[in-house]
Amino acid sequence: MSARERILARIGTAIGNHDAEIDAYLVEHPRGPAPALRDNLITHFRERALQLSSDVIEVAHPGEIPAQVAHYLAERGLPPRGACWPVVGSLPWGEANLEIAVRGANSQDMVGITGTFCAIAETGTLMMLSGPETPPSNSLLPETHIAILNTRRIVASMEDAWDLLRKEHKAPPRAVNFISGPSRTADIEQTVTLGAHGPYRVLIILVNA
Amino acid sequence: MQVSSIHFKRSVTEKLNDEKLQNALSRLQTRFVEGRAAVIGEIADFEETRTAAAAIRDRVLKNLDQWLLHFEQQAIARGALVHWAESGADVNRIVTEIATLHNVRRVAKSKSMVTEECGLNEALEHAGVEVVETDLGEYILQLAHEAPSHIVAPVVHKNKEDIADLFAEKHQLPRKTGIPELCREAREILRPAFLAADMGISGANFLIAETGSALIVTNEGNGRLVTTLPRVHVAITGIEKVVPTLEDVTTLLRLLPRSATGQSITNYVSMLTGTKDAADHDGPEHFHIILVDNGRSSLLGGDMQSMLRCIRCGACMNHCPVYQNIGGHAYGWVYPGPMGSILTPTFVGLENAPDLPNASTLCGACGVVCPVKIPLPDLLRQLREKQMSLGLKSWQEKLALKLWGWMARRPAVYAMVIKITVRILHFAGGKERMLHHLPGASGWTAGRDMPAPQGKTFRELYRQRKLS
């Protein structure tokens, strides 16, 4: 008998009689209690994102993004270079004197630019799906992560985000990453320090289009 | 990990006199206890959410084998390989075999308490594989050759001066003193380790049956790095960590970070399903999931079953007056605090951890804060009963309890014995009205005096007052 069979046998003996509710429960996948939001989705999202130490900028048109990014980087003395996802590769980065390569980021890149699958107002969280056109590295390896988010893609809760995933994709991709602000650690003296192994700063650009 | 819970009492004395540890523990109380209190208010129905979470965990346990089989089927369909391990030794063997299979020389590891149970790092190093812990706290402990003292904040027992000294010695770099500078130094030392690793090892906070995914919560981002960069990813977790659906995991995620660190959500929640596609820029080519029993199935169907609801948030230890005073190392194994006082004797044998069920004042705080409503004080009490029935108590304690039990069932005898005793103690207290020594309780009086009774019992005084 294999370890698998022995473990399953022990569990089976301990549990005794089964009620075969599994398939029905999976089909139903009921929601648990969720907190109600006070404000509208965009206001709530922005407030929570700021609390998590993300920076938030709003633009009316995608064409304004490169200038805003250039300004954000210059203000902080950061290099005007980085790597972006194909979905935002066609923005006029050059016009704002930015050198943005369209590819997955590597450890030398100081700035990573991505889109966002959707965002969760309840916690100010970005939801990213991995894929050939949406590599997770861009939101992970560079010290600055810039995420572009259409305000129409802000949902209330993580449950709503899962529904969106089920509707638009058959199955979850290899990695679903929920990002809530810059990476941090409180391991030394329980003192929160931003920039552990992931980005030091996260800029969310809300596009009201 | 070696079990040293048998030395609990000796260790406690040491820890109570350790001034540095005492300072560190008071910090934990401020950040985690107050942090939790502040953030649970965000959820109007916190109690309702706790009830829902407990129901989710119970639903899984009721059909654990079926949920595990469904999880396994889904995970395999997405290209993961699922292994089953009965013991820590099994885990070490399986991981070593995976490392050999994929020609792995370097491993980057994110925090996993299950691998602490197994002593996996030593096993891998023995097999010639280099292992680097990448969670900042665990990395510090690896440098210092120490064990974690908290399941969420493993290095809570060290202050920044200790860590500055350690880094200066091990990194051979100028000594830094600021916490951000220390974190930056660790980041710069560890980044090449992530890039060079052939294999990443992580735990899994939850396994999702619906999708066959492993889900991990982290703040530092090291969990994302070890599951994104190396060509092999091994996720190791307990068989009880499976949950049915994405909705269920969401309910649990509303409670886990709030109860653990007072955060509404951790910085990263990563759900990992299957392996990378050929066109993907990143992600592992091989994904192994190891389901670990190591004693867990023995809790099923018994009076300790509700302990398997545990989601390892650490709230019970943060709020425990015993943990707050002695820290985690005194408990002598991987899991400290109230949850550890139940898991350790259950996993390694009551006879190897006889003091742990008694390392509690039964004040009830742990049960009140537990996000999945484990009746921790009740379980501790049941372990004490079990200790008694197994004859694991000293003959003095057994005799004393037997005598007391005999007396308590005979009110007249009880009244008389107490009457005589308080008079003797009153006399022994002398003019000072203090007892410096008590026969049979020298441990108690070594550190303090006991006020002497004033000479009459409560019942005598009550009767007197009623008559007058």
Side-chain angles (χ1 to χ4, degrees):
Chain A
M1 223 159 72
S2 67
R4 176 177 181 274
E5 284 160 355
R6 280 192 297 270
I7 293 172
L8 288 170
R10 272 201 299 276
I11 297 172
T13 313
I15 297 172
N17 285 335
H18 285 88
D19 45 354
E21 54 165 19
I22 284 183
D23 293 332
Y25 187 80
L26 285 169
V27 172
E28 200 191 338
H29 55 83
R31 291 183 177 202
L37 304 186
R38 288 182 312 277
D39 312 300
N40 74 51
L41 293 180
I42 301 173
T43 314
H44 198 98
F45 172 79
R46 188 183 21 220
E47 197 181 295
R48 295 312 307 247
L50 290 171
Q51 278 172 14
L52 295 166
S53 311
S54 294
D55 297 314
V56 183
I57 296 176
E58 271 185 74
V59 298
H61 187 271
E64 300 167 28
I65 293 171
Q68 290 285 352
V69 168
H71 178 70
Y72 180 87
L73 296 176
E75 225 177 25
R76 287 161 181 77
L78 299 168
R81 281 179 299 281
C84 78
W85 283 1
V87 65
V88 290
S90 59
L91 288 173
W93 300 109
E95 287 174 25
N97 295 318
L98 294 171
E99 271 176 58
I100 306 297
V102 183
R103 55 170 167 79
N106 59 46
S107 222
Q108 275 77 52
D109 290 316
M110 296 298 281
V111 178
I113 305 178
T114 70
T116 308
F117 173 69
C118 76
I120 298 162
E122 182 187 330
T123 47
T125 300
L126 304 170
M127 181 181 184
M128 325 284 277
L129 307 186
S130 74
E133 304 282 289
T134 54
S137 294
N138 297 50
S139 64
L140 179 62
L141 295 175
E143 292 192 2
T144 302
H145 170 210
I146 298 173
I148 297 164
L149 167 65
N150 192 313
T151 52
R152 275 179 313 197
R153 300 290 288 184
I154 300 177
V155 297
S157 63
M158 195 181 276
E159 286 93 338
D160 288 349
W162 295 130
D163 277 353
L164 209 54
L165 175 72
R166 286 193 185 106
K167 201 175 103 192
E168 297 179 7
H169 298 264
K170 270 214 319 255
R174 185 197 69 78
V176 176
N177 283 299
F178 294 94
I179 300 175
S180 305
S183 74
R184 68 192 65 200
T185 179
D187 272 349
I188 303 180
E189 299 196 349
Q190 277 59 61
T191 303
V192 176
T193 308
L194 296 184
H197 292 300
Y200 278 76
R201 56 196 78 76
V202 173
L203 169 65
I204 301 168
I205 302 181
L206 294 174
V207 185
N208 291 306
Chain B
M1 189 175 162
Q2 208 74 23
V3 187
S4 60
S5 307
I6 201 84
H7 307 303
F8 181 75
K9 280 187 182 160
R10 196 179 68 203
S11 189
V12 164
T13 316
E14 237 170 70
K15 302 298 175 192
L16 287 172
N17 292 316
D18 183 340
E19 199 186 325
K20 220 156 59 179
L21 177 71
Q22 293 299 321
N23 287 334
L25 290 169
S26 70
R27 254 190 327 260
L28 184 75
Q29 217 168 323
T30 336
R31 303 280 178 188
F32 284 0
V33 172
E34 290 170 17
R36 173 188 174 277
V39 85
I40 63 170
E42 290 174 356
I43 301 188
D45 298 321
F46 193 72
E47 277 313 300
E48 204 190 317
T49 310
R50 280 178 78 217
T51 307
I56 291 167
R57 299 298 293 134
D58 280 347
R59 174 171 296 111
V60 168
L61 297 176
K62 214 167 70 181
N63 284 302
L64 184 60
D65 48 357
Q66 299 206 16
W67 287 117
L68 283 168
L69 287 170
H70 191 88
F71 168 79
E72 182 188 43
Q73 188 194 347
Q74 296 298 329
I76 292 172
R78 289 296 303 268
L81 287 168
V82 179
H83 310 260
W84 301 67
E86 288 191 277
S87 64
D90 274 5
V91 173
N92 296 347
R93 179 182 49 77
I94 294 166
V95 179
T96 311
E97 280 170 9
I98 295 171
T100 312
L101 174 71
H102 298 298
N103 224 342
V104 168
R105 283 173 31 233
R106 279 180 290 254
V107 167
K109 193 159 165 276
S110 75
K111 199 157 105 55
S112 147
M113 298 312 288
V114 175
T115 61
E116 296 281 345
E117 289 176 33
C118 318
L120 175 64
N121 292 6
E122 293 77 8
L124 279 172
E125 273 155 21
H126 189 73
V129 179
E130 187 190 316
V131 184
V132 181
E133 291 282 353
T134 61
D135 170 82
L136 179 59
E138 294 283 347
Y139 171 66
I140 292 165
L141 293 176
Q142 191 181 29
L143 287 184
H145 301 289
E146 287 178 25
S149 68
H150 189 286
I151 61 170
V152 174
V155 71
V156 61
H157 58 283
K158 282 194 180 304
N159 65 26
K160 71 170 196 284
E161 299 301 324
D162 298 334
I163 295 161
D165 289 342
L166 184 71
F167 277 13
E169 183 205 326
K170 302 282 180 179
H171 295 163
Q172 300 285 314
L173 288 167
R175 189 178 185 275
K176 320 268 191 309
T177 45
I179 294 174
E181 289 74 30
L182 289 167
C183 293
R184 161 76 73 177
E185 185 172 310
R187 174 192 173 104
E188 282 166 7
I189 297 266
L190 286 170
R191 186 52 81 89
F194 289 113
L195 295 166
D198 308 298
M199 179 160 107
I201 297 180
S202 73
N205 295 86
F206 300 107
L207 301 169
I208 303 162
E210 176 186 352
T211 54
S213 319
L215 183 137
I216 57 176
V217 302
T218 68
N219 280 311
E220 297 183 2
N222 62 318
R224 284 191 64 191
L225 286 162
V226 306
T227 60
T228 305
L229 299 179
R231 54 192 167 81
V232 185
H233 171 208
V234 182
I236 306 171
T237 198
I239 47 171
E240 83 285 13
K241 288 293 180 69
V242 65
V243 294
T245 64
L246 297 169
E247 279 74 10
D248 289 338
V249 89
T250 305
T251 299
L252 294 164
L253 285 172
R254 284 205 175 88
L255 297 171
L256 174 58
R258 284 188 170 90
S259 304
T261 53
Q263 291 174 282
S264 311
I265 188 163
T266 49
N267 256 83
Y268 300 112
V269 174
S270 303
M271 188 176 88
L272 306 158
T273 318
T275 51
K276 75 175 270 201
D277 290 332
D280 276 336
H281 168 258
D282 41 27
E285 294 154 32
H286 309 279
F287 183 22
H288 297 265
I289 301 170
I290 306 181
L291 304 173
V292 186
D293 185 339
N294 205 25
R296 286 161 175 81
S297 61
S298 70
L299 273 68
L300 271 175
D303 43 15
M304 296 289 138
Q305 176 170 318
S306 58
M307 196 56 223
L308 292 175
R309 286 185 206 151
C310 181
I311 56 172
R312 306 288 192 267
C313 70
C316 60
M317 59 198 75
N318 297 341
H319 290 77
C320 174
V322 176
Y323 181 93
Q324 284 168 357
N325 281 286
I326 62 171
H329 284 156
Y331 291 83
W333 199 50
V334 181
Y335 303 106
M339 55 83 83
S341 296
I342 294 160
L343 282 183
T344 306
T346 321
F347 283 6
V348 308
L350 205 44
E351 66 284 2
N352 294 315
D355 295 315
L356 295 191
N358 303 303
S360 162
T361 63
L362 298 183
C363 71
C366 51
V368 172
V369 296
C370 176
V372 286
K373 291 193 163 179
I374 302 170
L376 292 155
D378 295 343
L379 299 187
L380 286 166
R381 208 176 291 118
Q382 279 167 29
L383 279 178
R384 291 180 188 186
E385 278 169 28
K386 203 165 155 196
Q387 247 173 350
M388 200 65 188
S389 62
L390 288 176
L392 291 171
K393 295 278 186 185
S394 68
W395 66 268
Q396 292 99 326
E397 201 175 334
K398 278 190 270 189
L399 182 69
L401 280 171
K402 209 168 244 177
L403 271 174
W404 189 88
W406 184 85
M407 224 167 66
R409 272 171 285 157
R410 291 164 180 81
V413 180
Y414 187 88
M416 193 163 72
V417 171
I418 295 297
K419 203 165 152 180
I420 296 165
T421 311
V422 294
R423 278 172 176 76
I424 294 171
L425 290 178
H426 173 68
F427 179 73
K431 258 195 224 145
E432 261 185 285
R433 300 200 164 187
M434 279 293 172
L435 297 161
H436 303 305
H437 305 286
L438 276 176
S442 56
W444 201 90
T445 48
R448 48 207 178 296
D449 292 337
M450 179 162 129
Q454 51 72 54
K456 283 183 177 165
T457 66
F458 174 79
R459 285 207 268 187
E460 284 176 282
L461 291 170
Y462 184 75
R463 199 175 313 124
Q464 223 171 41
R465 203 165 292 180
K466 233 168 127 186
L467 288 175
S468 60

